[in-house]
Amino acid sequence: MAEFSIIDTYFNRQHGSSVDLGVGDDSAVLTPPPQQQLVICADTLVAGRHFPLDTDPHAIGWKSVAVNLSDIAAMGAKPHSILLALSLPQIDHDWLKAFSQGLYDCCDQFGVRLIGGDTTQSPHLTLSVTALGWIDTGQAITRAGAQLGDYICVSGTVGDAAFGLKHPGHALQQRLDYPTPRCELGQQLKGLASSMIDVSDGLAQDLGHILKASKVGATLDLDLLPLSDTLRHLPDTQRWQYALAGGDDYELCFSISPQHFEQLLQQPLNVRVTKIGQIHAAPELHFVQNGVDHSLQFQGYQHFA
Ligand code: ADP
Ligand code: MG
């Protein structure tokens, strides 16, 4: 009884016309748009591990959706819907109300519906969200397409969430608790970016995944890293630590040819895009500042995440 009343009370809002059958039956039913491929991903958040136990449940709801929409965006796809697998130690109505509100707030902001899931009791609060999206057949942007001479770009600013984690109560904690998936930019990059990843484990490590998959190297210019005012005023080493190794940014990092970069900048963008480096042949990640090689000091950064 409890399980069904939780689903009905908190997770059974209207689905909208693009869902044939949503919450309430054994499975959801969707009609794929013509000439589109399904893009699908899942992410699990465990209380006490991925977020502190006392985190605002509204933020947990938002973030559990946002991190998945970020993965959909990183393929260049349009997010469509999510499923929620929820394991709860006990029924706490205040918590469920705020959590579901945060979840639906993120869904509403990005035009996504909750179409199903699972609700169970377990000793640990665990949330697993599966997100579905659509992309024109053959157009998904993988990690493997970076080409020699491509620019490397990143959206927004990097390192803010990591700073927020270390400084609870600071305004930048908002970037940790309420990440903004770059859904619109991701779709604008379809046909333009040659490879893409969303930055969840730190820029250096995540860019490393692109380089490995694409079998190329890159040089990043430390002077070009897009930083918030707070980070810009920190000493160099701290600033770069947050920007390169801090997690939870949920910005998009992508490679793009110089011609396509010009085309991108001619479109209206709802987030800043910054060129931070370039792809080259040697299979390493180099860092330069003022044209001087800083690689030695920063090699270890991949391991801090
Ligand atoms: P079954 O036993 O057939 O797996 P359930 O009783 O688990 O079905 O779920 C009933 C319906 O409620 C299904 O449509 C399922 O997708 C949905 N559902 C269950 N838990 C959630 C949840 N946390 N959020 C959204 N939908 C849910
Ligand atoms: Mg069933």
Side-chain angles (χ1 to χ4, degrees):
M1 136 58 201
E3 175 197 340
F4 298 113
S5 85
I6 291 173
I7 298 166
D8 264 347
T9 310
Y10 300 108
F11 303 110
N12 199 3
R13 290 196 199 166
Q14 285 302 308
H15 307 113
S17 58
S18 69
V19 178
D20 300 312
L21 189 60
V23 171
D25 217 304
D26 291 309
S27 299
V29 179
L30 304 177
T31 304
Q35 318 292 319
Q36 308 253 301
Q37 284 174 303
L38 174 65
V39 176
I40 184 164
C41 64
D43 234 320
T44 299
L45 299 177
V46 179
R49 184 169 206 167
H50 297 103
F51 55 86
L53 290 166
D54 61 354
T55 305
D56 177 357
H58 185 276
I60 298 171
W62 174 282
K63 191 164 178 174
S64 65
V65 179
V67 300
N68 280 282
L69 299 190
S70 179
D71 279 325
I72 297 285
M75 305 307 288
K78 182 178 169 60
H80 179 272
S81 43
I82 60 162
L83 296 114
L84 167 69
L86 189 57
S87 298
L88 300 166
Q90 74 272 320
I91 298 174
D92 175 340
H93 287 283
D94 290 339
W95 191 93
L96 279 164
K97 190 166 179 228
F99 169 79
S100 60
Q101 189 60 50
L103 177 134
Y104 276 113
D105 283 348
C106 190
C107 284
D108 291 347
Q109 175 133 356
F110 296 98
V112 164
R113 300 97 188 149
L114 174 62
I115 59 167
D118 194 27
T119 306
T120 53
Q121 210 258 335
S122 107
H124 300 289
L125 171 61
T126 306
L127 313 148
S128 185
V129 171
T130 301
L132 290 71
W134 305 117
I135 184 123
D136 297 337
T137 299
Q139 294 282 296
I141 306 168
T142 69
R143 301 174 178 186
Q147 305 287 325
L148 302 191
D150 282 354
Y151 294 161
I152 299 160
C153 299
V154 70
S155 64
T157 53
V158 283
D160 295 336
F163 185 90
L165 181 66
K166 283 267 165 63
H167 302 84
H170 188 281
L172 286 180
Q173 198 191 329
Q174 187 77 2
R175 294 270 285 146
L176 176 70
D177 289 345
Y178 290 94
T180 307
R182 303 303 184 186
C183 296
E184 197 173 315
L185 176 65
Q187 292 170 71
Q188 284 175 296
L189 286 165
K190 190 184 57 169
L192 294 180
S194 53
S195 70
M196 180 145 64
I197 192 167
D198 71 319
V199 181
S200 53
D201 296 330
L203 180 62
Q205 180 164 319
D206 287 323
L207 174 59
H209 293 311
I210 285 188
L211 302 183
K212 191 160 177 233
S214 301
K215 301 191 176 68
V216 291
T219 300
L220 282 196
D221 190 332
L222 295 170
D223 300 309
L224 299 181
L225 291 173
L227 303 177
S228 61
D229 285 343
T230 305
L231 264 72
R232 200 170 312 118
H233 291 107
L234 296 175
D236 279 359
T237 344
Q238 275 187 47
R239 171 158 46 121
W240 292 328
Q241 168 82 31
Y242 285 122
L244 296 171
D248 275 348
D249 290 317
Y250 299 103
E251 296 295 346
L252 293 177
C253 175
F254 56 94
S255 60
I256 186 167
S257 70
Q259 300 89 307
H260 283 168
F261 184 61
E262 291 310 315
Q263 282 182 38
L264 177 70
L265 295 187
Q266 279 155 26
Q267 304 175 33
L269 301 175
N270 69 359
V271 61
R272 176 157 62 129
V273 165
T274 309
K275 177 195 164 198
I276 55 171
Q278 202 155 12
I279 298 289
H280 54 62
E284 300 118 26
L285 180 53
H286 285 289
F287 301 94
V288 297
Q289 189 204 11
N290 282 327
V292 178
D293 198 314
H294 269 247
S295 298
L296 280 180
Q297 287 100 306
F298 291 100
Q299 266 167 5
Y301 269 48
Q302 301 186 32
H303 308 289
F304 282 104

